[in-house]
Amino acid sequence: MSEKIREKVSLDFEGDYFFESVSEHRAVFVLRGQGLGGNLADTDPQTTGVPAKEPTPASEDSKKTAELVRSFIDQVQQVLADEDRATGILLRGFEQYQPLPAIRDRFKLDGVCVADYPMYRGVSRLIGMDVVPRPGGMKQRFQALQKVYGEKYNFYFLHVKHSDSKGEDSNFEGKVKVIEEVDQLLPLVTRLNPDVLVVSADHSTPAIMGQHSWHPVPVMIHSKYAKVDDVATFDEYACGRGMLGLRPGVQLMGLALAHGGRLRKYGA
């Protein structure tokens, strides 16, 4: 469908755009040109059976963008009118590109990403990390990490998506199965004997809610400098009683660097 959209949708402005499917039902839409802002409301209502929202600009510099987005959505709906599986698109996460500091410049780390899902691969590239070819299955992902370990990197990001996907589908049993699969594969990582091993998540997705939530996520840090507490299981309730306590996620990188002996001094 993305090819059909590219062929038949035309936007009238001094610039260009591209639309590309990335994974499953997701795609990326990019506008390039002068006078464009990224301060727009999402058109995705985040609820089934509810009409899409308007791409309303929240600032003056995003009005032109809103007009182009509205034109794009209307044209796509016309182009896909005869399709069975999808007859329109929902857009969310509008933003104007701003260069991000590279992980090498900010943390003195040479990083590599092992992930299947496009968003995490893209974010990794934005901060200067290398990205291995898509490994495929879960076990292949862990094996891909083993292959690049120790080559030229000292920071490794391995991402698992499907525990989140199963949570969003309210599939509790499926989510448990994914977590158990990861648990069985973790020895492929621990055998590498990393200086620091961090296991965590970027957010909570309770199956009972079927969506992202505000709940604290479990975090584990393993290193020779880590203090051992009496927590024996890795879950939200047990980790809440652990040595790390409840902390903002922005502190995690500093803790990881400290546990790896990569800071001259921690704190003032």
Side-chain angles (χ1 to χ4, degrees):
M1 291 185 184
S2 56
E3 184 176 349
K4 185 176 182 180
I5 291 172
R6 288 194 298 270
E7 288 178 355
K8 297 188 176 182
V9 172
S10 176
L11 296 178
D12 184 18
F13 77 113
E14 293 183 2
D16 60 2
Y17 84 92
F18 72 82
F19 180 83
E20 190 70 45
S21 59
V22 291
S23 179
E24 300 172 336
H25 60 287
R26 298 179 186 269
V28 61
F29 173 58
V30 177
L31 290 163
R32 290 189 176 127
Q34 298 296 318
L36 301 175
N39 198 2
L40 277 73
D42 295 349
T43 72
D44 187 351
Q46 298 281 342
T47 305
T48 56
V50 177
K53 297 181 178 181
E54 285 291 312
T56 308
S59 59
E60 188 70 25
D61 63 352
S62 296
K63 285 187 176 181
K64 180 179 178 181
T65 309
E67 294 172 1
L68 292 169
V69 168
R70 189 175 294 108
S71 175
F72 181 75
I73 292 173
D74 291 344
Q75 290 184 63
V76 168
Q77 190 168 0
Q78 295 173 15
V79 168
L80 300 182
D82 58 348
E83 294 287 343
D84 295 326
R85 297 181 62 189
T87 57
I89 59 171
L90 299 171
L91 298 178
R92 65 184 186 187
F94 293 103
E95 187 56 271
Q96 187 172 22
Y97 171 71
Q98 298 289 344
L100 298 175
I103 192 172
R104 176 65 187 165
D105 297 333
R106 188 172 182 185
F107 300 116
K108 308 304 182 213
L109 294 172
D110 296 307
V112 61
C113 165
V114 182
D116 271 351
Y117 208 70
M119 184 177 76
Y120 303 94
R121 296 168 62 83
V123 169
S124 296
R125 286 195 179 96
L126 284 174
I127 59 173
M129 293 173 62
D130 289 343
V131 179
V132 304
R134 284 185 176 179
M138 185 82 77
K139 185 174 183 179
Q140 288 77 13
R141 209 169 308 172
F142 282 77
Q143 291 172 334
L145 172 65
Q146 288 181 311
K147 289 179 181 178
V148 297
Y149 192 83
E151 285 187 359
K152 57 179 180 178
Y153 307 108
N154 51 22
F155 181 82
Y156 304 83
F157 169 52
L158 190 153
H159 179 259
V160 174
K161 173 65 178 174
H162 288 104
S163 52
D164 173 54
S165 301
K166 298 300 182 182
E168 290 181 335
D169 292 339
S170 294
N171 184 350
F172 177 78
E173 298 300 332
K175 183 173 181 178
V176 169
K177 186 176 180 180
V178 173
I179 294 172
E180 289 177 340
E181 185 179 5
V182 172
D183 191 46
Q184 292 296 316
L185 291 169
L186 272 177
L188 298 181
V189 178
T190 56
R191 287 175 198 150
L192 299 172
N193 195 29
D195 293 334
V196 182
L197 174 62
V198 179
V199 181
S200 188
D202 55 346
H203 57 74
S204 181
T205 314
I208 194 172
M209 294 179 62
Q211 62 183 6
H212 298 177
S213 78
W214 61 93
H215 299 95
V217 297
V219 180
M220 183 199 75
I221 298 180
H222 178 271
S223 85
K224 65 181 181 181
Y225 300 118
K227 291 186 176 181
V228 180
D229 51 35
D230 59 358
V231 173
T233 57
F234 185 70
D235 60 60
E236 289 86 348
Y237 295 102
C239 288
R241 302 189 300 270
M243 182 69 68
L244 291 174
L246 295 178
R247 299 168 178 262
V250 294
Q251 294 182 4
L252 187 56
M253 180 59 87
L255 288 170
L257 291 169
H259 279 85
R262 300 186 66 87
L263 298 182
R264 285 177 298 199
K265 184 179 180 182
Y266 189 85

Coordinates of all heavy atoms in Angstrom, one line a residue, residues 111-153:
G111 N 28.7 2.3 20.7 CA 27.6 1.5 20.9 C 27.1 0.8 19.6 O 27.4 1.2 18.5
V112 N 26.4 -0.4 19.8 CA 25.8 -1.1 18.8 C 24.5 -1.6 19.2 O 24.2 -1.9 20.4 CB 26.7 -2.3 18.4 CG1 26.9 -3.3 19.5 CG2 26.1 -3.0 17.1
C113 N 23.5 -1.6 18.3 CA 22.1 -1.9 18.6 C 21.8 -3.3 17.9 O 22.1 -3.5 16.7 CB 21.2 -0.8 18.0 SG 19.5 -1.3 17.9
V114 N 21.2 -4.1 18.7 CA 20.7 -5.4 18.2 C 19.2 -5.4 18.4 O 18.7 -5.6 19.5 CB 21.3 -6.6 18.9 CG1 20.8 -7.9 18.3 CG2 22.8 -6.6 18.8
A115 N 18.4 -5.1 17.3 CA 16.9 -5.0 17.5 C 16.3 -5.3 16.1 O 16.9 -5.1 15.1 CB 16.6 -3.6 18.0
D116 N 15.1 -5.8 16.2 CA 14.3 -6.0 15.0 C 13.4 -4.8 14.7 O 13.2 -4.5 13.5 CB 13.4 -7.3 15.1 CG 14.1 -8.5 14.6 OD1 15.2 -8.4 14.0 OD2 13.6 -9.6 14.9
Y117 N 12.9 -4.2 15.7 CA 11.8 -3.2 15.5 C 12.5 -1.9 15.0 O 13.4 -1.4 15.6 CB 11.1 -2.9 16.8 CG 9.7 -2.5 16.6 CD1 8.7 -3.3 16.1 CD2 9.3 -1.1 16.8 CE1 7.4 -2.9 15.8 CE2 8.0 -0.7 16.6 CZ 7.1 -1.6 16.1 OH 5.8 -1.2 15.9
P118 N 11.9 -1.3 13.9 CA 12.5 -0.1 13.2 C 12.8 1.1 14.1 O 13.8 1.7 14.0 CB 11.5 0.2 12.1 CG 10.8 -1.1 11.9 CD 10.7 -1.8 13.2
M119 N 11.8 1.4 15.0 CA 12.0 2.6 15.8 C 13.2 2.6 16.7 O 14.0 3.6 16.7 CB 10.8 2.8 16.7 CG 10.8 4.1 17.5 SD 9.3 4.4 18.5 CE 9.6 3.2 19.9
Y120 N 13.6 1.5 17.3 CA 14.7 1.4 18.1 C 16.0 1.4 17.3 O 17.0 1.9 17.8 CB 14.6 0.1 19.0 CG 13.3 0.2 19.8 CD1 12.2 -0.4 19.4 CD2 13.3 0.9 21.0 CE1 11.0 -0.4 20.1 CE2 12.1 1.0 21.8 CZ 11.0 0.4 21.3 OH 9.8 0.4 22.0
R121 N 15.9 0.8 16.1 CA 17.1 0.8 15.2 C 17.3 2.3 14.8 O 18.5 2.7 14.7 CB 16.8 -0.1 14.0 CG 16.7 -1.5 14.4 CD 16.1 -2.4 13.2 NE 17.0 -2.3 12.1 CZ 18.1 -3.1 11.9 NH1 18.3 -4.0 12.9 NH2 18.8 -3.1 10.9
G122 N 16.2 3.0 14.5 CA 16.4 4.4 14.1 C 16.9 5.3 15.1 O 17.8 6.1 14.9
V123 N 16.4 5.2 16.4 CA 16.9 6.0 17.5 C 18.3 5.7 17.7 O 19.1 6.6 18.0 CB 16.0 5.7 18.7 CG1 16.7 6.4 20.0 CG2 14.6 6.2 18.6
S124 N 18.7 4.5 17.6 CA 20.1 4.1 17.8 C 21.0 4.8 16.8 O 22.1 5.3 17.1 CB 20.3 2.6 17.8 OG 19.6 1.9 18.8
R125 N 20.6 4.8 15.6 CA 21.4 5.5 14.5 C 21.4 7.0 14.8 O 22.5 7.7 14.6 CB 20.7 5.3 13.2 CG 20.9 3.9 12.6 CD 20.6 3.8 11.1 NE 20.8 2.5 10.6 CZ 19.9 1.6 10.4 NH1 18.7 1.9 10.7 NH2 20.2 0.4 9.9
L126 N 20.3 7.6 15.3 CA 20.3 9.0 15.6 C 21.3 9.4 16.6 O 21.8 10.6 16.6 CB 18.9 9.5 16.1 CG 17.8 9.6 15.0 CD1 16.5 9.9 15.6 CD2 18.2 10.7 14.0
I127 N 21.7 8.5 17.5 CA 22.7 8.9 18.5 C 24.0 8.3 18.2 O 24.9 8.1 19.1 CB 22.2 8.5 20.0 CG1 21.9 7.0 20.1 CG2 21.0 9.3 20.4 CD1 21.6 6.5 21.5
G128 N 24.2 7.9 17.0 CA 25.6 7.5 16.5 C 25.9 6.1 16.7 O 27.1 5.7 16.6
M129 N 25.0 5.2 17.0 CA 25.3 3.8 17.2 C 25.3 3.0 15.9 O 24.5 3.4 15.0 CB 24.3 3.2 18.2 CG 24.4 3.7 19.6 SD 23.1 3.1 20.7 CE 23.5 1.3 20.7
D130 N 26.1 2.0 15.8 CA 26.0 1.1 14.7 C 24.8 0.2 14.9 O 24.3 0.0 16.1 CB 27.2 0.2 14.6 CG 28.4 1.0 14.1 OD1 28.2 2.1 13.5 OD2 29.6 0.5 14.2
V131 N 24.2 -0.4 13.9 CA 23.0 -1.2 14.0 C 23.3 -2.5 13.1 O 23.6 -2.4 11.9 CB 21.8 -0.5 13.4 CG1 20.6 -1.4 13.5 CG2 21.5 0.8 14.2
V132 N 23.2 -3.7 13.7 CA 23.4 -4.9 13.0 C 22.2 -5.2 12.1 O 21.1 -4.7 12.4 CB 23.7 -6.1 14.0 CG1 24.8 -5.8 14.9 CG2 22.4 -6.4 14.8
P133 N 22.4 -6.0 11.0 CA 21.2 -6.4 10.2 C 20.2 -7.1 11.1 O 20.5 -7.7 12.1 CB 21.8 -7.3 9.2 CG 23.3 -6.9 9.1 CD 23.6 -6.5 10.5
R134 N 18.9 -6.9 10.7 CA 17.8 -7.5 11.5 C 18.1 -9.0 11.7 O 18.2 -9.8 10.7 CB 16.5 -7.3 10.8 CG 16.0 -5.9 10.9 CD 14.6 -5.8 10.3 NE 14.0 -4.5 10.5 CZ 12.8 -4.1 10.0 NH1 12.1 -5.0 9.3 NH2 12.4 -2.9 10.2
P135 N 18.2 -9.5 12.9 CA 18.5 -10.9 13.2 C 17.4 -11.8 12.9 O 17.6 -13.0 12.5 CB 18.8 -10.9 14.7 CG 19.0 -9.4 15.1 CD 18.1 -8.6 14.2
G136 N 16.1 -11.4 13.1 CA 15.0 -12.3 12.8 C 14.4 -12.7 14.1 O 13.8 -11.9 14.9
G137 N 14.5 -14.0 14.5 CA 13.8 -14.5 15.7 C 14.6 -14.1 17.0 O 15.6 -13.5 17.0
M138 N 14.0 -14.5 18.1 CA 14.5 -14.1 19.4 C 15.9 -14.7 19.6 O 16.8 -13.9 20.0 CB 13.5 -14.6 20.5 CG 13.9 -14.1 21.9 SD 13.4 -12.4 22.2 CE 11.7 -12.7 22.5
K139 N 16.0 -16.0 19.4 CA 17.3 -16.6 19.7 C 18.4 -16.0 18.8 O 19.5 -15.8 19.2 CB 17.3 -18.1 19.5 CG 18.5 -18.8 19.8 CD 18.4 -20.3 19.7 CE 19.7 -21.0 20.2 NZ 19.5 -22.5 20.1
Q140 N 18.0 -15.7 17.5 CA 19.0 -15.1 16.6 C 19.4 -13.7 17.0 O 20.6 -13.3 16.8 CB 18.3 -15.0 15.2 CG 18.2 -16.3 14.4 CD 17.0 -17.1 14.9 OE1 16.1 -16.6 15.7 NE2 16.9 -18.4 14.5
R141 N 18.6 -13.1 17.8 CA 18.9 -11.7 18.3 C 20.1 -11.9 19.3 O 21.0 -11.1 19.3 CB 17.7 -11.1 18.9 CG 17.7 -9.6 18.9 CD 16.3 -9.1 19.3 NE 15.3 -9.7 18.5 CZ 14.0 -9.6 18.7 NH1 13.6 -8.8 19.8 NH2 13.1 -10.1 18.0
F142 N 19.9 -12.8 20.2 CA 20.9 -13.0 21.2 C 22.2 -13.6 20.6 O 23.3 -13.2 21.0 CB 20.4 -14.0 22.3 CG 19.5 -13.4 23.3 CD1 18.2 -13.1 22.9 CD2 19.9 -13.0 24.5 CE1 17.3 -12.5 23.9 CE2 19.1 -12.5 25.5 CZ 17.8 -12.2 25.1
Q143 N 22.1 -14.4 19.6 CA 23.3 -14.9 18.9 C 24.0 -13.8 18.1 O 25.2 -13.7 18.0 CB 22.9 -16.0 17.9 CG 22.4 -17.3 18.6 CD 21.9 -18.3 17.7 OE1 21.3 -18.0 16.6 NE2 21.9 -19.6 18.1
A144 N 23.2 -12.8 17.6 CA 23.8 -11.7 16.9 C 24.6 -10.8 17.9 O 25.7 -10.3 17.5 CB 22.7 -10.8 16.2
L145 N 24.1 -10.7 19.1 CA 24.9 -10.0 20.1 C 26.2 -10.7 20.4 O 27.3 -10.0 20.5 CB 24.1 -9.9 21.4 CG 24.8 -9.3 22.6 CD1 25.2 -7.8 22.4 CD2 24.0 -9.4 23.9
Q146 N 26.2 -12.0 20.5 CA 27.4 -12.7 20.7 C 28.4 -12.5 19.6 O 29.6 -12.4 19.9 CB 27.1 -14.2 20.8 CG 26.4 -14.6 22.1 CD 26.1 -16.1 22.1 OE1 25.6 -16.7 21.2 NE2 26.5 -16.8 23.2
K147 N 28.0 -12.4 18.4 CA 28.9 -12.3 17.3 C 29.6 -10.9 17.3 O 30.8 -10.9 16.9 CB 28.1 -12.4 15.9 CG 27.6 -13.8 15.7 CD 26.9 -13.9 14.4 CE 26.4 -15.3 14.1 NZ 25.6 -15.4 12.8
V148 N 29.0 -9.9 17.7 CA 29.6 -8.5 17.7 C 30.3 -8.2 19.0 O 31.0 -7.2 19.1 CB 28.6 -7.4 17.3 CG1 28.0 -7.6 15.9 CG2 27.5 -7.3 18.3
Y149 N 30.1 -9.0 20.0 CA 30.6 -8.7 21.3 C 32.1 -8.7 21.3 O 32.8 -9.6 20.8 CB 30.1 -9.7 22.4 CG 30.4 -9.3 23.8 CD1 29.5 -8.4 24.4 CD2 31.5 -9.7 24.4 CE1 29.8 -8.0 25.7 CE2 31.8 -9.3 25.7 CZ 30.9 -8.4 26.4 OH 31.2 -8.0 27.6
G150 N 32.7 -7.6 21.8 CA 34.1 -7.5 21.9 C 34.9 -7.0 20.7 O 36.1 -6.9 20.7
E151 N 34.1 -6.9 19.6 CA 34.8 -6.5 18.3 C 35.4 -5.0 18.5 O 36.6 -4.9 18.4 CB 33.8 -6.5 17.2 CG 33.5 -7.9 16.7 CD 32.6 -7.9 15.4 OE1 32.3 -6.8 15.0 OE2 32.3 -9.0 14.9
K152 N 34.5 -4.1 18.6 CA 35.0 -2.7 18.7 C 34.0 -1.8 19.5 O 34.1 -0.6 19.5 CB 35.1 -2.1 17.3 CG 33.8 -2.1 16.5 CD 34.0 -1.4 15.1 CE 32.7 -1.5 14.3 NZ 32.8 -0.8 13.0
Y153 N 33.1 -2.5 20.2 CA 32.1 -1.8 21.0 C 32.3 -2.0 22.5 O 32.9 -3.0 22.9 CB 30.7 -2.3 20.6 CG 30.5 -2.2 19.1 CD1 30.4 -3.4 18.4 CD2 30.3 -1.0 18.5 CE1 30.2 -3.3 17.0 CE2 30.1 -0.9 17.1 CZ 30.0 -2.1 16.4 OH 29.8 -2.1 15.0

